Amino acid sequence: MVPLKATLILSVLLCLLSSSLAEVGNVTAQTRAAQITRKGDKILTEVDTPVEMRDLIQTLKGRADIRFVDDTKVSVTEYSKLVIDEFVYKQEKKKGKIYIKDELGNIR
């Protein structure tokens, strides 16, 4: 039987590991705060706000620049919506793929 304390520590470590694996990039610059919708939660962005798969990024009167862990850069311009459908990157091979959907506006 595993002691309760060891089980609790293992559970916390697994949660931390899974949340760090979910991050695929972050906001590197913005002219005004954008909004990320993640699992029903609304998050106002700041520089260094993490970006995860399945996030919906929306801008109004501002622009948000995102850098992914593979150094891909995306600029979400004013009045735009971007969904990060899938991001896969293999660090050891320096290869990956990203699927994003521009729902409204311009993405560069």
Side-chain angles (χ1 to χ4, degrees):
M1 183 169 176
V2 179
L4 180 60
K5 188 175 182 180
T7 303
L8 181 61
I9 291 171
L10 182 59
S11 297
V12 169
L13 288 174
L14 288 174
C15 287
L16 290 173
L17 179 61
S18 66
S19 67
S20 68
L21 291 175
E23 187 176 318
V24 298
N26 61 28
V27 175
T28 57
Q30 62 184 28
T31 57
R32 288 195 179 182
Q35 177 178 282
I36 294 176
T37 304
R38 178 180 302 144
K39 298 177 186 167
D41 294 330
K42 308 276 187 200
I43 303 163
L44 288 179
T45 62
E46 299 176 353
V47 172
D48 291 327
T49 298
V51 175
E52 299 180 4
M53 279 199 318
R54 308 281 185 250
D55 279 356
L56 167 65
I57 297 109
Q58 295 177 269
T59 58
L60 290 176
K61 293 182 179 180
R63 188 188 82 235
D65 296 337
I66 299 168
R67 176 177 285 153
F68 292 90
V69 296
D70 67 348
D71 279 336
T72 299
K73 298 172 190 163
V74 174
S75 184
V76 186
T77 61
E78 291 183 342
Y79 300 101
S80 296
K81 291 183 181 181
L82 168 76
V83 176
I84 302 167
D85 283 329
E86 184 179 4
F87 181 86
V88 178
Y89 180 64
K90 297 185 180 187
Q91 176 72 30
E92 65 281 354
K93 293 185 179 183
K94 303 282 188 211
K95 290 188 177 185
K97 62 182 175 180
I98 184 170
Y99 295 104
I100 56 177
K101 186 180 349 176
D102 174 10
E103 291 192 351
L104 178 71
N106 294 311
I107 309 300
R108 298 183 180 160

